[in-house]
Amino acid sequence: MREAFHDQLDSIFSDLSEICQAVETAVRHATQALLNGDAEVAEQVIAADAKIDLNRERVEDTAFSLLSLQQPVAGDLRVVVSALRMVSELERMGDLSVHVAKIARLRVPEIAVPEEARPTIARMGEVAEDMVRRVAAVISDKDVDAAIALGRDDEEMDRLRRDSFAQLLGDSWDHGVEAAVDIALLGRYYERIADHAVSVANRVVFVVTGQMPAPSDA
C-alpha cells in the first residue's frame, strides 16, 4: 500500500514537470506573438491554456485523493500540500502567458511593442522562459541548489522591470498612452511569471528540506 502511495506521489511531480514544460512553451510562443504581431500564434497560446487547466485538475484530484484515502503525515503530507500550492502557481504562470498573448492579438496588425522598448521586453521574455525551463528541471530532480540559485537570478527580471519603467517615464517616450499601458502591463506579467517560478522553486526546497529558503538564499 505504501509503495503505491509513493508511486502516486512521484506521479504528481512528474505531472508538475509536464505542466511546467507546457508553461515554458506558452511563454516562448506568447513572446513570439508579441514581438512579431502574430495573431495565429497568440491564438495557439490562448487555446493551449485549456490543457494546462486540465492537467492542474488532474494533479489536484490525485492530491486530494491521497489526502482523503491515505491520510499522509509528516514528510508525505508536506509533499502533497506543497504540490497543491505548486500546481496553482504553475497554472497562474500559464494564465499570465495568455495575458501576454492577448495583448499581442489585440494590437494586430500592429506590433504592441515600440521599437525602443523591444530589447527590454524581448529580454524579459527570454528570462521568464529560462526561469520556467529551470523550474521544470528543479521539480524533476528536486535540486535544492538549483532552486536557490533560481531565486538569486530573479534579480535580472527586477532590473528589467525598472528599466521598462524608466523608458515609459523618460522624455523621449512619444508612443502615447495606449502603448505605455501595454508596456507597463507586459512588464508586470513577465515579472509575475518570474516571481511564481521562484515560489515554485522554493516549494521544492521545502519538500526536500522541510524549510523554506531564507530571504538571503532566495
Side-chain angles (χ1 to χ4, degrees):
M1 178 68 73
R2 299 305 295 174
E3 183 176 348
F5 170 68
H6 285 101
D7 285 344
Q8 286 179 295
L9 284 181
D10 290 340
S11 75
I12 286 178
F13 269 76
S14 177
D15 287 341
L16 288 172
S17 182
E18 181 180 329
I19 293 170
C20 206
Q21 291 168 14
V23 171
E24 178 193 342
T25 299
V27 173
R28 180 171 64 254
H29 288 171
T31 303
Q32 290 174 357
L34 181 70
L35 297 178
N36 298 329
D38 193 324
E40 183 177 350
V41 173
E43 290 288 357
Q44 291 173 1
V45 174
I46 295 166
D49 191 55
K51 184 176 180 181
I52 293 175
D53 293 342
L54 286 173
N55 287 338
R56 182 216 73 207
E57 292 174 4
R58 185 173 74 242
V59 168
E60 288 179 343
D61 288 345
T62 302
F64 286 132
S65 176
L66 290 176
L67 287 172
S68 62
L69 298 178
Q70 302 291 340
Q71 299 180 345
V73 296
D76 290 341
L77 179 61
R78 184 171 72 235
V79 173
V80 177
V81 173
S82 294
L84 287 168
R85 295 290 297 272
M86 290 160 66
V87 76
S88 177
E89 303 253 21
L90 292 174
E91 184 200 23
R92 185 57 186 149
M93 291 158 72
D95 290 342
L96 289 162
S97 301
V98 168
H99 293 337
V100 172
K102 285 183 175 179
I103 288 181
R105 183 181 65 178
L106 181 64
R107 302 305 174 204
V108 171
E110 305 298 325
I111 294 177
V113 183
E115 191 64 32
E116 71 181 83
R118 285 177 67 88
T120 301
I121 295 299
R123 182 57 187 160
M124 279 186 163
E126 290 172 356
V127 171
E129 181 185 344
D130 179 64
M131 292 183 74
V132 178
R133 180 185 306 113
R134 290 164 63 190
V135 165
V138 166
I139 292 171
S140 295
D141 301 337
K142 295 186 177 66
D143 188 332
V144 170
D145 291 338
I148 292 173
L150 187 70
R152 295 195 184 105
D153 292 348
D154 186 43
E155 293 177 3
E156 182 178 3
M157 183 65 84
D158 294 337
R159 178 184 59 77
L160 290 166
R161 176 79 161 136
R162 292 192 296 270
D163 290 347
S164 71
F165 268 120
Q167 288 178 320
L168 296 180
L169 299 175
D171 294 336
S172 64
W173 184 265
D174 59 359
H175 304 288
V177 173
E178 187 175 83
V181 170
D182 284 345
I183 296 302
L185 288 173
L186 289 166
R188 180 58 174 163
Y189 297 154
Y190 283 121
E191 181 184 46
R192 289 302 296 151
I193 289 171
D195 289 343
H196 284 299
V198 171
S199 182
V200 171
N202 287 344
R203 288 283 163 190
V204 173
V205 175
F206 179 64
V207 165
V208 175
T209 69
Q211 295 181 332
M212 294 292 284
S216 60
D217 293 334

